[in-house]
Structure formats: C-alpha cells, structure tokens
C-alpha cells in the first residue's frame, strides 16, 4: 500500500472526528513492538488517544503539519527520545504556518549535536521530564543520550513550561532512559495519559 495514501486515510479518519482536541505523538528510534518501550506509546494510537508516528521522515512531518493547520481543534504534541526532537520540529513547522500548539509534552529528549533545545513561540504550554542516569547503550556518554537538563532550554523557562527531573521509578531503582515512557505515562507531575484524555 502507498504509505502516503495510507497516511492520508489515517488523517481523514482521525481528523474527521468531532473532537475538540487533536493529539499527535512520536515514539523513539527502534521497534514499536512488545516488549520495547516504544510499544506503550504506539498503543496510544491503537486506543485512539493520539496519532502516533516513528520519529523519522521530514516528509511525514510536513504532511502532519498541513493536516493540523486545517483544523480548529486544540493541539497537543508529544514525543519520546528522538521523537521529542520530531515533536519540536513539528511545532516549528506549525509556527511557520501560524498555527498554535496548545501543549508540547517532551519525554527525555535526545539531541545529538547540540546542547540546547529551542521551544518555538507558538507553544502555549509545555512539560518535559528527563533523567540524567544514562541510556541502555553504554557508548552514549555526556549529554549524548542521557536526557536533557533544564538549562538546555537556553533560558526558556517560560511561565507555562514545566520541567521535571526523574530520579527513581521505584524506591530502590534508578530511572534510566528506557524507563521514561512508563514514568511519563503514570508517575510524572503531569501524566501523558491524563493530558491525552482531557477534553
């Protein structure tokens, strides 16, 4: 099946709903099947809580941005790991189209070649949860793959953007990068599940 055709069909089915809110999400690099952590985010799409995509493809982002521009519904965008970078890039595309993003939710963003993330001006509210304890892969060192500390937002601690560092997923177990999806869904100050279920 033509991926552009199937994507357009997906958009039509999702955006045709009479919902006052549109949720768009991106999981991280790697498989989205069980038991990988991306699976939990992909399941949100199967439960019709969001349209959920892999983190890659500039063409996909442009198609999503055009679909979002055509709706009057409020817009929530979320992303995990490299998917968080895709979420930010989608917000930037929507800024160029003069479309506001009502809420941007970032889960442990991984930026490869930069030490700062710039949140576009069209983001009205936001939340980021991150950890500094490392990822599953040993060669990810320094900031590279170990979460994004609050200072990387280059002074953009805006009045409506909350930042939370996660330390432990359980009383005795330190949070790692791959734990952050579960943390965001159920344990964060603002849980992704509650945000997506809001009307």
């Amino acid at each position: 099946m033509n991926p552009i055709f199937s994507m357009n069909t997906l958009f039509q089915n999702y955006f045709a709903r009479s919902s006052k809110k549109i949720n768009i999400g991106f999981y991280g690099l790697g498989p989205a099947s069980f038991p990988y952590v991306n699976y939990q985010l992909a399941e949100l799409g199967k439960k019709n809580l969001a349209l959920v995509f892999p983190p890659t493809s500039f063409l996909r982002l442009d198609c999503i941005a055009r679909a979002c521009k055509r709706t009057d519904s409020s817009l929530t965008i979320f992303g995990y790991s490299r998917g968080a970078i895709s979420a930010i890039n989608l917000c930037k595309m929507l800024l160029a189209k003069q479309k506001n993003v009502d809420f941007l939710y970032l889960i442990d963003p991984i930026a490869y070649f930069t030490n700062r993330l710039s949140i576009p001006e069209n983001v009205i509210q936001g939340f980021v949860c991150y950890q500094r304890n490392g990822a599953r892969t040993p060669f990810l060192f320094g900031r590279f793959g170990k979460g994004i500390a609050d200072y990387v937002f280059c002074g953009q601690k805006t009045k409506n953007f909350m930042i939370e560092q996660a330390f432990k997923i359980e009383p005795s177990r330190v949070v790692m990068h791959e734990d952050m999806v579960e943390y965001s869904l159920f344990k964060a100050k603002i849980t992704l599940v509650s945000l997506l279920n809001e009307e």
Side-chain angles (χ1 to χ4, degrees):
M1 180 181 287
N2 185 323
I4 298 298
F5 174 79
S6 61
M7 193 170 178
N8 287 339
T9 303
L10 185 65
F11 283 153
Q12 289 169 5
N13 292 341
Y14 186 78
F15 283 89
R17 306 175 316 158
S18 58
S19 174
K20 296 178 181 177
K21 184 177 179 192
I22 299 295
N23 301 319
I24 306 289
F26 300 90
Y27 54 80
L29 288 176
S33 56
F34 185 82
Y36 300 97
V37 294
N38 287 328
Y39 173 79
Q40 292 174 287
L41 295 177
E43 282 295 294
L44 297 174
K46 293 180 182 176
K47 295 174 182 176
N48 291 320
L49 288 174
L51 280 176
V52 184
F53 299 97
T56 55
S57 176
F58 184 83
L59 291 176
R60 179 182 288 117
L61 287 182
D62 184 61
C63 186
I64 295 169
R66 282 187 276 113
C68 291
K69 172 63 178 173
R70 290 193 295 265
T71 180
D72 292 327
S73 302
S74 68
L75 181 61
T76 294
I77 298 175
F78 65 92
Y80 163 62
S81 190
R82 287 299 293 169
I85 308 305
S86 293
I88 292 172
N89 288 336
L90 177 58
C91 291
K92 290 177 180 177
M93 287 185 172
L94 290 170
L95 174 62
K97 296 180 183 298
Q98 299 181 328
K99 172 74 176 177
N100 282 340
V101 175
D102 295 273
F103 206 102
L104 174 62
Y105 193 108
L106 304 176
I107 307 163
D108 209 29
I110 290 183
Y112 288 156
F113 303 113
T114 180
N115 64 352
R116 56 178 55 183
L117 297 176
S118 177
I119 306 303
E121 297 173 3
N122 60 328
V123 174
I124 297 172
Q125 294 182 64
F127 176 78
V128 58
C129 53
Y130 71 96
Q131 52 76 46
R132 293 287 292 165
N133 301 307
R136 179 187 292 115
T137 309
F139 68 82
L140 298 180
F141 55 88
R143 291 196 194 100
F144 182 48
K146 291 192 175 182
I148 301 297
D150 54 358
Y151 60 81
V152 305
F153 285 88
C154 41
Q156 291 190 14
K157 288 188 179 180
T158 65
K159 59 183 182 297
N160 295 321
F161 209 99
M162 184 185 298
I163 298 170
E164 177 185 3
Q165 183 175 9
F167 295 97
K168 293 188 176 179
I169 195 88
E170 296 170 356
S172 60
R173 189 160 69 86
V174 171
V175 173
M176 303 295 276
H177 179 65
E178 59 269 24
D179 296 317
M180 288 304 297
V181 170
E182 180 184 348
Y183 185 87
S184 69
L185 287 170
F186 305 112
K187 302 181 187 308
K189 289 178 183 175
I190 300 175
T191 65
L192 184 57
V193 169
S194 64
L195 180 66
L196 298 182
N197 277 312
E198 284 180 359
E199 284 295 335

